[in-house]
Amino acid sequence: MSKEKLDIKILAKKMELLDIRVKELEEMNIKQFIHRLESLENDQYMMKDVFTVPEACKFLELSQSQLYKLTSKLKIPHYKPRGKIVYFDKKELLEWVKRNHQQEIQYADEPEEET
């Protein structure tokens, strides 16, 4: 009879540990889900055709001051339909980024890569 009591105590302890682990996994899955959802929300702007200044900064990986300098010097395509708020066309930004393509320099002592 004492063996049965011991087995029941061990089983109860294992069930308790299992319950704790299940709760940890549920909490971890919720945290992962929230993180993924926040990531998707942050990247949702990529689906747009027209960007605001913060979205363009994120897209181009520039600070706002750098972007405003480029707009004030008319070095980047942008729009001001109401005079103050600046907008950027995604396609035009991509074309602007692709300007001045840099060719690879092949040095004499380097072997040519085969493709």
Side-chain angles (χ1 to χ4, degrees), residues 84-107:
K84 286 193 174 191
I85 300 174
V86 181
Y87 296 97
F88 301 87
D89 182 89
K90 182 179 179 179
K91 288 179 185 179
E92 290 178 352
L93 289 180
L94 284 171
E95 290 172 11
W96 180 81
V97 168
K98 291 179 181 181
R99 279 196 227 156
N100 298 322
H101 175 69
Q102 302 297 311
Q103 296 291 329
E104 285 185 35
I105 298 173
Q106 190 72 38
Y107 295 100

Side-chain angles (χ1 to χ4, degrees), residues 2 6 8-9 14 20 25-26 28-29 33 44 51 54 59-60 66-67 72 76-77 87 92 101 103 106 109 114:
S2 65
L6 184 62
I8 290 173
K9 285 183 181 180
K14 287 186 177 185
I20 291 169
L25 288 172
E26 286 173 347
M28 184 172 35
N29 285 340
F33 176 75
Q44 184 179 6
F51 294 149
F59 181 72
L60 297 170
Q66 288 174 311
L67 189 58
S72 68
I76 190 166
Y87 296 97
E92 290 178 352
H101 175 69
Q103 296 291 329
Q106 190 72 38
D109 58 339
E114 293 181 24

Side-chain angles (χ1 to χ4, degrees), residues 2-48:
S2 65
K3 177 139 173 71
E4 284 181 20
K5 285 183 181 178
L6 184 62
D7 288 342
I8 290 173
K9 285 183 181 180
I10 291 172
L11 183 59
K13 185 65 177 172
K14 287 186 177 185
M15 289 293 291
E16 183 181 333
L17 292 172
L18 184 61
D19 188 45
I20 291 169
R21 184 68 180 134
V22 166
K23 287 178 183 175
E24 288 173 353
L25 288 172
E26 286 173 347
E27 187 176 310
M28 184 172 35
N29 285 340
I30 290 170
K31 286 179 183 175
Q32 288 174 342
F33 176 75
I34 290 170
H35 176 72
R36 180 72 178 135
L37 183 60
E38 288 171 348
S39 176
L40 288 170
E41 286 174 346
N42 288 336
D43 293 339
Q44 184 179 6
Y45 76 94
M46 292 292 289
M47 302 300 291
K48 297 170 66 177

